[in-house]
């Protein structure tokens, strides 16, 4: 919850965010929400390529955190819950941020975001005005919703974290599955926060998608430390396995005054973004806070002992991960822009081109190649402009391989395969193409 401001990125220039914003909009990754009505602060829509990227991130996460494990099950809980959930969880009383208001123009910012306050004061200074701020007031982040058609409507909240859906289902999951402590419950889903200052593209939004694991253990500090360290490493390794640059990642332990109300101990994974080191996943020792507050206990079937399990949580965000994967992959080389996304994350794995769009023989074979690759991969088709332009267009959206069907293909049943990163080209027989790409994309 409490994000700490970090120092400024030294490698990426300040322009990187502008370039990413322009590229992601022009190529259909991310659009401002409600764009034709001037947008709505903190809300974003994902276009065709952004949706593929997000789906790939979620698929990788689910595969690693649920399908590949015997000790984790997944759920998909409702976004809107009984308001009693939020009272019990402590969010109604404690899910707050401090807010200050500029006495000159009434702009509101988070009291603890020194950088934003400084930048705002500078703007006034330019107009020879001296900004001053009100005393900090606490501000609840939960978004209220009202249900029913007749007054009084029932007031509840959009979920501020997806997590509570796991705790309220704990008993149902224990009784309906074969899980035994220690075990985990994973979930991916939308969360909503009334952020005071949304910004930096999707980084701080009011609607975002979390991917979380709640791992339940017997109440024991030694076990908690071991489990915490285990998940910390697992999560960092996951980002590295998908190609994130190690030097742009670090852990940061939360100070006492920044921990969320439910956390005994918390450590973030941070990314060195163009706007400073920023949190994009938290690992939290929640102890028995949640199950205790919801008055839920667990009976060990082997020992007959009843206890309130403790929870170690990993809480990431699909949107922040997508943004940081994009920033990390963005590179400029001589005359081209390349998104060096990991092949498993790239929206398209392969693009197929007929050398010339007005040569029916070539187009026919290219279509056949395209259609057969579609059985195994997400494939793009492009027959506009010249080959060089098509390569650069695919580089810009991160497509790892381009396949060109040319005049020679009609003679030798082979195509030219061009590698995004090395720009090297190889001639591959059509009948070996699928196997070749499967190996390269693994
Ligand atoms: N269940 C624990 C929890 O929600 P959190 O630290 O408040 O913990 C977890 O949030 C993650 O959710 C953060 O590390 C961040 O990636 C993401 N997140 C939080 N607020 C966000 C926002 N306003 N916009 C985008 N992502 C956000």
């Amino acid at each position: 919850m409490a994000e700490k401001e970090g120092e400024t990125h030294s490698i990426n220039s300040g322009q990187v965010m502008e370039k990413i914003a322009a590229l992601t909009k022009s190529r259909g990754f991310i659009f401002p929400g409600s764009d034709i009505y001037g947008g709505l602060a903190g809300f974003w829509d994902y276009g065709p390529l952004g949706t593929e990227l997000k789906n790939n991130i979620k698929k990788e996460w689910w595969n690693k955190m649920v399908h590949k494990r015997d000790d984790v099950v997944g759920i998909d809980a409702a976004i809107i819950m009984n308001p009693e959930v939020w009272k019990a969880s402590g969010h109604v009383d404690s899910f707050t941020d401090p807010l200050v208001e500029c006495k000159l123009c009434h702009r509101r910012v988070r009291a603890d975001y020194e950088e934003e306050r400084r930048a705002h004061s500078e703007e006034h200074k330019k107009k020879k005005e001296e900004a001053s701020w009100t005393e900090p007031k606490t501000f609840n982040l939960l978004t209220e919703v009202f249900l029913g058609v007749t007054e009084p409507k029932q007031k509840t909240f959009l979920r501020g974290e997806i997590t509570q859906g796991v705790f309220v289902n704990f008993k149902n999951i224990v009784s309906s599955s074969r899980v035994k402590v220690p075990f985990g419950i994973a979930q991916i889903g939308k969360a909503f926060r009334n952020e005071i200052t949304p910004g930096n593209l999707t980084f701080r939004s009011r609607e975002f998608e979390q991917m979380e694991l709640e791992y339940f253990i017997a109440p024991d500090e030694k076990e908690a430390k071991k489990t915490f360290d285990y998940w910390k490493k697992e999560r960092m390794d996951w980002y590295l396995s998908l190609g994130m640059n190690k030097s742009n990642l670090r852990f940061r332990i939360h100070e006492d005054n920044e921990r969320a109300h439910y956390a005994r101990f918390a450590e973030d994974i941070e990314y060195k973004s163009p706007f400073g080191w920023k949190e994009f996943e938290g690992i939290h020792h929640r102890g028995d806070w949640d199950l205790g507050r919801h008055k839920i206990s667990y009976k060990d079937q082997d020992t007959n002992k009843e206890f309130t399990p403790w929870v170690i949580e990993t809480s990431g965000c699909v949107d922040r991960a997508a943004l940081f994967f994009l920033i990390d992959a963005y590179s400029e080389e001589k005359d081209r822009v390349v998104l060096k996304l990991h092949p498993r994350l790239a929206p398209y794995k392969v693009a197929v081109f007929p050398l010339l769009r007005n040569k029916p023989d070539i187009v026919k074979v290219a279509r056949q190649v395209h259609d057969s690759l579609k059985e195994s991969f997400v494939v793009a088709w492009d027959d506009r402009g010249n080959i060089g332009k098509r390569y650069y267009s695919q580089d810009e959206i991160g497509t790892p391989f381009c396949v060109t069907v040319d005049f020679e293909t009609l003679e030798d049943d082979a195509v030219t395969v061009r590698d995004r990163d090395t720009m090297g080209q190889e001639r591959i027989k059509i009948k070996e193409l699928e196997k070749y790409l499967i190996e390269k994309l693994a």
Side-chain angles (χ1 to χ4, degrees), residues 231-265:
W231 282 110
K232 224 179 96 175
K233 181 170 178 336
E234 279 289 295
R235 296 305 305 136
M236 180 63 99
D237 287 350
W238 185 77
Y239 290 108
L240 293 171
S241 75
L242 290 170
M244 239 183 220
N245 193 331
K246 199 170 182 178
S247 62
N248 287 337
L249 292 166
R250 73 175 187 192
F251 288 113
R252 190 182 66 81
I253 295 174
H254 275 212
E255 287 158 28
D256 288 346
N257 61 358
E258 58 173 324
R259 271 199 308 272
H261 61 276
Y262 49 72
R264 292 187 187 193
F265 184 78

Short mmCIF file of all heavy atoms in Angstrom, two decimals, residues 231-265:
data_model
loop_
_atom_site.label_atom_id
_atom_site.label_comp_id
_atom_site.label_asym_id
_atom_site.label_seq_id
_atom_site.Cartn_x
_atom_site.Cartn_y
_atom_site.Cartn_z
N TRP A 231 9.61 -18.01 -0.66
CA TRP A 231 8.76 -17.35 -1.66
C TRP A 231 9.40 -16.10 -2.24
O TRP A 231 9.20 -15.77 -3.41
CB TRP A 231 7.37 -17.06 -1.07
CG TRP A 231 6.55 -18.31 -1.06
CD1 TRP A 231 6.16 -19.03 0.03
CD2 TRP A 231 6.08 -19.05 -2.21
NE1 TRP A 231 5.47 -20.16 -0.36
CE2 TRP A 231 5.40 -20.18 -1.73
CE3 TRP A 231 6.17 -18.86 -3.59
CZ2 TRP A 231 4.81 -21.12 -2.58
CZ3 TRP A 231 5.59 -19.78 -4.44
CH2 TRP A 231 4.92 -20.89 -3.94
N LYS A 232 10.20 -15.44 -1.40
CA LYS A 232 10.94 -14.27 -1.89
C LYS A 232 11.80 -14.67 -3.09
O LYS A 232 11.78 -14.04 -4.14
CB LYS A 232 11.87 -13.82 -0.74
CG LYS A 232 11.93 -12.37 -0.50
CD LYS A 232 12.87 -12.11 0.67
CE LYS A 232 14.25 -11.77 0.16
NZ LYS A 232 15.19 -11.38 1.22
N LYS A 233 12.52 -15.76 -2.90
CA LYS A 233 13.42 -16.23 -3.96
C LYS A 233 12.63 -16.71 -5.18
O LYS A 233 12.97 -16.39 -6.32
CB LYS A 233 14.33 -17.35 -3.42
CG LYS A 233 15.30 -17.87 -4.44
CD LYS A 233 16.33 -18.79 -3.82
CE LYS A 233 17.31 -19.38 -4.81
NZ LYS A 233 16.93 -19.49 -6.19
N GLU A 234 11.56 -17.48 -4.92
CA GLU A 234 10.73 -17.98 -6.02
C GLU A 234 10.23 -16.84 -6.90
O GLU A 234 10.25 -16.90 -8.12
CB GLU A 234 9.49 -18.71 -5.46
CG GLU A 234 9.73 -20.11 -5.03
CD GLU A 234 9.96 -21.05 -6.20
OE1 GLU A 234 9.04 -21.25 -7.00
OE2 GLU A 234 11.08 -21.59 -6.29
N ARG A 235 9.76 -15.78 -6.25
CA ARG A 235 9.17 -14.68 -7.01
C ARG A 235 10.22 -13.90 -7.79
O ARG A 235 10.01 -13.54 -8.94
CB ARG A 235 8.37 -13.74 -6.07
CG ARG A 235 7.19 -14.41 -5.43
CD ARG A 235 6.24 -15.04 -6.44
NE ARG A 235 5.82 -14.07 -7.42
CZ ARG A 235 5.76 -14.31 -8.75
NH1 ARG A 235 6.07 -15.50 -9.25
NH2 ARG A 235 5.38 -13.36 -9.56
N MET A 236 11.36 -13.65 -7.15
CA MET A 236 12.43 -12.95 -7.88
C MET A 236 12.89 -13.80 -9.06
O MET A 236 13.06 -13.28 -10.17
CB MET A 236 13.60 -12.66 -6.92
CG MET A 236 14.75 -11.95 -7.56
SD MET A 236 14.31 -10.30 -8.17
CE MET A 236 14.90 -9.27 -6.84
N ASP A 237 13.04 -15.11 -8.83
CA ASP A 237 13.50 -16.00 -9.91
C ASP A 237 12.52 -16.01 -11.07
O ASP A 237 12.92 -16.16 -12.23
CB ASP A 237 13.69 -17.44 -9.39
CG ASP A 237 14.93 -17.54 -8.51
OD1 ASP A 237 15.71 -16.57 -8.47
OD2 ASP A 237 15.10 -18.59 -7.86
N TRP A 238 11.24 -15.86 -10.78
CA TRP A 238 10.23 -15.86 -11.84
C TRP A 238 10.43 -14.68 -12.79
O TRP A 238 10.43 -14.84 -14.00
CB TRP A 238 8.83 -15.83 -11.21
CG TRP A 238 7.71 -15.95 -12.21
CD1 TRP A 238 7.30 -17.09 -12.82
CD2 TRP A 238 6.87 -14.90 -12.70
NE1 TRP A 238 6.25 -16.82 -13.67
CE2 TRP A 238 5.96 -15.49 -13.62
CE3 TRP A 238 6.78 -13.53 -12.46
CZ2 TRP A 238 4.97 -14.75 -14.29
CZ3 TRP A 238 5.81 -12.79 -13.13
CH2 TRP A 238 4.93 -13.40 -14.03
N TYR A 239 10.64 -13.50 -12.22
CA TYR A 239 10.87 -12.31 -13.08
C TYR A 239 12.15 -12.49 -13.89
O TYR A 239 12.20 -12.14 -15.07
CB TYR A 239 10.94 -11.03 -12.24
CG TYR A 239 9.59 -10.66 -11.65
CD1 TYR A 239 9.33 -10.81 -10.30
CD2 TYR A 239 8.56 -10.20 -12.47
CE1 TYR A 239 8.09 -10.50 -9.77
CE2 TYR A 239 7.30 -9.89 -11.95
CZ TYR A 239 7.08 -10.04 -10.60
OH TYR A 239 5.84 -9.75 -10.10
N LEU A 240 13.18 -13.06 -13.25
CA LEU A 240 14.45 -13.26 -13.97
C LEU A 240 14.26 -14.29 -15.08
O LEU A 240 14.79 -14.13 -16.19
CB LEU A 240 15.55 -13.72 -13.00
CG LEU A 240 15.98 -12.67 -11.96
CD1 LEU A 240 16.91 -13.30 -10.92
CD2 LEU A 240 16.67 -11.49 -12.63
N SER A 241 13.47 -15.34 -14.80
CA SER A 241 13.28 -16.39 -15.80
C SER A 241 12.55 -15.87 -17.03
O SER A 241 12.63 -16.44 -18.11
CB SER A 241 12.52 -17.59 -15.21
OG SER A 241 11.14 -17.25 -15.10
N LEU A 242 11.83 -14.75 -16.86
CA LEU A 242 11.13 -14.16 -18.01
C LEU A 242 11.91 -12.98 -18.58
O LEU A 242 11.35 -12.11 -19.26
CB LEU A 242 9.71 -13.76 -17.61
CG LEU A 242 8.81 -14.98 -17.36
CD1 LEU A 242 7.48 -14.57 -16.74
CD2 LEU A 242 8.56 -15.77 -18.65
N GLY A 243 13.19 -12.96 -18.26
CA GLY A 243 14.10 -12.05 -18.96
C GLY A 243 14.31 -10.69 -18.35
O GLY A 243 14.98 -9.86 -18.95
N MET A 244 13.74 -10.42 -17.17
CA MET A 244 13.98 -9.09 -16.61
C MET A 244 15.44 -8.95 -16.22
O MET A 244 16.04 -9.87 -15.68
CB MET A 244 13.07 -8.85 -15.40
CG MET A 244 12.18 -7.66 -15.61
SD MET A 244 11.19 -7.33 -14.18
CE MET A 244 9.66 -6.91 -14.98
N ASN A 245 15.96 -7.79 -16.50
CA ASN A 245 17.37 -7.49 -16.27
C ASN A 245 17.67 -7.45 -14.75
O ASN A 245 17.08 -6.66 -14.02
CB ASN A 245 17.60 -6.10 -16.88
CG ASN A 245 19.03 -5.77 -17.00
OD1 ASN A 245 19.86 -6.23 -16.22
ND2 ASN A 245 19.34 -4.96 -17.99
N LYS A 246 18.59 -8.31 -14.32
CA LYS A 246 18.86 -8.44 -12.89
C LYS A 246 19.25 -7.11 -12.24
O LYS A 246 18.88 -6.83 -11.10
CB LYS A 246 20.00 -9.46 -12.70
CG LYS A 246 20.07 -10.01 -11.32
CD LYS A 246 21.03 -11.17 -11.23
CE LYS A 246 21.00 -11.70 -9.82
NZ LYS A 246 21.85 -12.85 -9.65
N SER A 247 20.00 -6.30 -12.98
CA SER A 247 20.48 -5.05 -12.37
C SER A 247 19.32 -4.04 -12.17
O SER A 247 19.51 -3.02 -11.52
CB SER A 247 21.57 -4.42 -13.23
OG SER A 247 21.03 -4.11 -14.50
N ASN A 248 18.15 -4.32 -12.75
CA ASN A 248 17.00 -3.43 -12.54
C ASN A 248 16.07 -3.92 -11.44
O ASN A 248 14.98 -3.39 -11.27
CB ASN A 248 16.20 -3.29 -13.85
CG ASN A 248 16.93 -2.42 -14.85
OD1 ASN A 248 17.78 -1.61 -14.47
ND2 ASN A 248 16.64 -2.60 -16.13
N LEU A 249 16.50 -4.96 -10.71
CA LEU A 249 15.65 -5.54 -9.67
C LEU A 249 16.35 -5.51 -8.32
O LEU A 249 17.57 -5.70 -8.25
CB LEU A 249 15.31 -6.99 -10.02
CG LEU A 249 14.41 -7.19 -11.25
CD1 LEU A 249 14.43 -8.65 -11.69
CD2 LEU A 249 12.99 -6.75 -10.95
N ARG A 250 15.59 -5.30 -7.28
CA ARG A 250 16.16 -5.41 -5.93
C ARG A 250 15.04 -5.68 -4.93
O ARG A 250 13.86 -5.47 -5.22
CB ARG A 250 16.90 -4.12 -5.55
CG ARG A 250 15.99 -2.96 -5.23
CD ARG A 250 16.74 -1.72 -4.74
NE ARG A 250 15.82 -0.69 -4.30
CZ ARG A 250 16.16 0.55 -4.03
NH1 ARG A 250 17.42 0.95 -4.16
NH2 ARG A 250 15.26 1.43 -3.60
N PHE A 251 15.44 -6.14 -3.74
CA PHE A 251 14.49 -6.29 -2.64
C PHE A 251 14.60 -5.04 -1.75
O PHE A 251 15.67 -4.45 -1.65
CB PHE A 251 14.85 -7.49 -1.77
CG PHE A 251 14.57 -8.82 -2.43
CD1 PHE A 251 15.60 -9.66 -2.79
CD2 PHE A 251 13.26 -9.22 -2.66
CE1 PHE A 251 15.35 -10.90 -3.37
CE2 PHE A 251 13.00 -10.46 -3.25
CZ PHE A 251 14.04 -11.29 -3.60
N ARG A 252 13.51 -4.68 -1.11
CA ARG A 252 13.58 -3.61 -0.11
C ARG A 252 12.64 -3.93 1.06
O ARG A 252 11.45 -4.19 0.85
CB ARG A 252 13.18 -2.26 -0.71
CG ARG A 252 13.48 -1.08 0.24
CD ARG A 252 13.04 0.25 -0.35
NE ARG A 252 11.60 0.33 -0.51
CZ ARG A 252 10.76 0.62 0.49
NH1 ARG A 252 11.22 0.87 1.70
NH2 ARG A 252 9.46 0.66 0.27
N ILE A 253 13.22 -3.94 2.27
CA ILE A 253 12.42 -4.25 3.46
C ILE A 253 11.61 -3.02 3.86
O ILE A 253 12.13 -1.89 3.84
CB ILE A 253 13.36 -4.67 4.62
CG1 ILE A 253 14.06 -5.99 4.26
CG2 ILE A 253 12.59 -4.80 5.93
CD1 ILE A 253 15.10 -6.45 5.27
N HIS A 254 10.35 -3.22 4.20
CA HIS A 254 9.51 -2.09 4.64
C HIS A 254 9.96 -1.59 6.00
O HIS A 254 10.24 -2.38 6.89
CB HIS A 254 8.05 -2.53 4.76
CG HIS A 254 7.31 -2.46 3.46
ND1 HIS A 254 5.98 -2.18 3.39
CD2 HIS A 254 7.73 -2.62 2.20
CE1 HIS A 254 5.60 -2.18 2.12
NE2 HIS A 254 6.65 -2.46 1.39
N GLU A 255 9.96 -0.28 6.14
CA GLU A 255 10.24 0.28 7.46
C GLU A 255 8.98 0.15 8.31
O GLU A 255 7.88 -0.04 7.78
CB GLU A 255 10.64 1.76 7.30
CG GLU A 255 12.04 1.89 6.70
CD GLU A 255 12.29 3.24 6.05
OE1 GLU A 255 11.65 4.22 6.46
OE2 GLU A 255 13.11 3.28 5.11
N ASP A 256 9.17 0.29 9.65
CA ASP A 256 8.04 0.07 10.56
C ASP A 256 6.84 0.94 10.22
O ASP A 256 5.69 0.52 10.30
CB ASP A 256 8.46 0.34 12.01
CG ASP A 256 9.37 -0.77 12.50
OD1 ASP A 256 9.42 -1.82 11.82
OD2 ASP A 256 10.04 -0.58 13.53
N ASN A 257 7.11 2.20 9.81
CA ASN A 257 5.99 3.14 9.62
C ASN A 257 5.32 3.01 8.25
O ASN A 257 4.41 3.75 7.94
CB ASN A 257 6.47 4.58 9.82
CG ASN A 257 7.56 4.96 8.82
OD1 ASN A 257 7.97 4.12 8.00
ND2 ASN A 257 8.01 6.19 8.89
N GLU A 258 5.77 2.11 7.40
CA GLU A 258 5.14 1.99 6.08
C GLU A 258 4.42 0.67 5.87
O GLU A 258 3.80 0.46 4.84
CB GLU A 258 6.16 2.24 4.95
CG GLU A 258 7.33 1.31 4.98
CD GLU A 258 8.24 1.46 3.75
OE1 GLU A 258 7.73 1.69 2.65
OE2 GLU A 258 9.46 1.31 3.92
N ARG A 259 4.52 -0.23 6.86
CA ARG A 259 3.86 -1.53 6.69
C ARG A 259 2.34 -1.40 6.74
O ARG A 259 1.82 -0.59 7.49
CB ARG A 259 4.32 -2.50 7.79
CG ARG A 259 5.55 -3.28 7.42
CD ARG A 259 5.71 -4.51 8.29
NE ARG A 259 5.63 -4.22 9.71
CZ ARG A 259 6.67 -3.88 10.46
NH1 ARG A 259 7.87 -3.78 9.93
NH2 ARG A 259 6.52 -3.64 11.74
N ALA A 260 1.66 -2.22 5.92
CA ALA A 260 0.19 -2.23 5.95
C ALA A 260 -0.27 -2.77 7.31
O ALA A 260 0.49 -3.46 8.00
CB ALA A 260 -0.33 -3.13 4.83
N HIS A 261 -1.54 -2.47 7.63
CA HIS A 261 -2.03 -2.80 8.98
C HIS A 261 -1.97 -4.29 9.30
O HIS A 261 -1.90 -4.69 10.43
CB HIS A 261 -3.47 -2.28 9.16
CG HIS A 261 -4.46 -2.86 8.20
ND1 HIS A 261 -4.66 -2.37 6.93
CD2 HIS A 261 -5.31 -3.92 8.31
CE1 HIS A 261 -5.59 -3.09 6.31
NE2 HIS A 261 -6.00 -4.03 7.13
N TYR A 262 -2.00 -5.14 8.24
CA TYR A 262 -2.06 -6.58 8.48
C TYR A 262 -0.68 -7.24 8.53
O TYR A 262 -0.56 -8.41 8.82
CB TYR A 262 -2.88 -7.25 7.36
CG TYR A 262 -2.44 -6.81 5.96
CD1 TYR A 262 -1.25 -7.24 5.41
CD2 TYR A 262 -3.23 -5.93 5.21
CE1 TYR A 262 -0.83 -6.82 4.16
CE2 TYR A 262 -2.83 -5.51 3.95
CZ TYR A 262 -1.62 -5.96 3.43
OH TYR A 262 -1.21 -5.54 2.20
N ALA A 263 0.38 -6.49 8.21
CA ALA A 263 1.69 -7.14 8.01
C ALA A 263 2.59 -7.07 9.25
O ALA A 263 2.77 -6.02 9.84
CB ALA A 263 2.40 -6.49 6.82
N ARG A 264 3.15 -8.24 9.60
CA ARG A 264 4.17 -8.25 10.67
C ARG A 264 5.52 -7.89 10.11
O ARG A 264 6.39 -7.36 10.79
CB ARG A 264 4.28 -9.65 11.26
CG ARG A 264 3.08 -10.08 12.01
CD ARG A 264 3.36 -11.40 12.70
NE ARG A 264 2.12 -11.89 13.29
CZ ARG A 264 2.07 -12.87 14.15
NH1 ARG A 264 3.17 -13.49 14.52
NH2 ARG A 264 0.93 -13.27 14.64
N PHE A 265 5.72 -8.28 8.85
CA PHE A 265 6.99 -8.03 8.18
C PHE A 265 6.69 -7.97 6.69
O PHE A 265 5.82 -8.68 6.20
CB PHE A 265 7.96 -9.19 8.48
CG PHE A 265 9.33 -8.99 7.91
CD1 PHE A 265 10.24 -8.15 8.54
CD2 PHE A 265 9.72 -9.62 6.73
CE1 PHE A 265 11.51 -7.94 8.01
CE2 PHE A 265 10.98 -9.42 6.19
CZ PHE A 265 11.88 -8.58 6.84
#
